[in-house]
Amino acid sequence: MADNIIIRRSRPEDFEQICALYADAREFMKENGNPDQWKDTHPSVDLISEDISENGNGYVAADGDTVLAAFYFEENADDPTYRVIYDGKWLNSLPYAVVHRIGVSKAARGRKVGKLCVKWATERAGNVKIDTHRDNQPMQRLLTSLGFVHCGTIYVNVDGDRHRMAYQYSSK
């Protein structure tokens, strides 16, 4: 991994690169046994625009002007999808941050950029919740490698298969 990769808030000029890397991420998931998590249109261009301009919770991992990864990060979250968990329980009920929609560009594969993004979130917040599709084995391995614990199942309203594996990291 290059030492000059930085995590920063996404900017309007990143929009096209972010859209392209999410398309790459969807193809990667399909090629790796996970064709259903994001289907063909998630995250939508409207959602990407909202992350960039309205709520300011869109972040990128960038090497100079090149966007290598994009993700949503919100501190002190109160995510309604995490209020009820099935077949388990959260590690704690402390304030938490969430990470959603991690996408890595094809050019960044093998550079551990996704890991850099999630590690950045845990260092910033210390108590982080995230979810992933049961078929997303690469993300499950990444989360486990960073000390996340599988806590149970949540339900989201994103696509036809709404079950998500819920994970939490807590240094507290």
Side-chain angles (χ1 to χ4, degrees):
M1 179 169 40
D3 292 332
N4 52 347
I5 297 174
I6 62 162
I7 306 288
R8 62 168 171 77
R9 288 189 184 274
S10 54
R11 302 185 281 231
E13 59 268 24
D14 299 328
F15 180 78
E16 293 300 324
Q17 289 186 76
I18 292 171
C19 289
L21 75 82
Y22 278 132
D24 285 347
R26 283 190 296 271
E27 286 306 309
F28 177 81
M29 285 193 275
K30 286 178 187 175
E31 293 166 2
N32 287 277
N34 184 18
D36 297 321
Q37 184 170 351
W38 283 356
K39 303 286 184 191
D40 293 325
T41 58
H42 186 76
S44 69
V45 294
D46 290 341
L47 190 54
I48 294 166
S49 293
E50 182 181 315
D51 288 351
I52 291 172
S53 60
E54 290 178 23
N55 65 21
N57 290 322
Y59 287 82
V60 297
D63 187 350
D65 291 333
T66 304
V67 174
L68 302 173
F71 62 102
Y72 176 96
F73 173 75
E74 181 181 354
E75 292 184 271
N76 298 311
D78 183 19
D79 192 317
T81 60
Y82 293 158
R83 290 184 188 149
V84 178
I85 187 167
Y86 300 91
D87 303 322
K89 65 179 185 172
W90 294 114
L91 298 177
N92 60 53
S93 58
L94 298 171
Y96 62 92
V98 295
V99 176
H100 293 302
R101 300 188 290 281
I102 298 174
V104 178
S105 73
K106 191 179 293 185
R109 293 217 184 103
R111 293 180 71 183
K112 301 187 189 290
V113 178
K115 187 171 192 171
L116 176 72
C117 296
V118 177
K119 187 170 175 47
W120 175 88
T122 62
E123 290 170 352
R124 185 161 178 140
N127 197 34
V128 179
K129 294 179 181 180
I130 190 170
D131 63 89
T132 192
H133 194 279
R134 68 178 169 262
D135 292 336
N136 194 339
Q137 297 296 316
M139 180 57 74
Q140 292 170 42
R141 285 190 297 272
L142 172 93
L143 295 173
T144 302
S145 77
L146 290 172
F148 280 78
V149 175
H150 176 236
C151 294
T153 302
I154 60 151
Y155 293 90
V156 297
N157 192 17
V158 173
D159 52 42
D161 186 6
R162 302 171 11 155
H163 301 79
R164 292 291 183 269
M165 297 177 71
Y167 286 83
Q168 185 175 7
Y169 170 90
S170 182
S171 63
K172 302 176 185 220

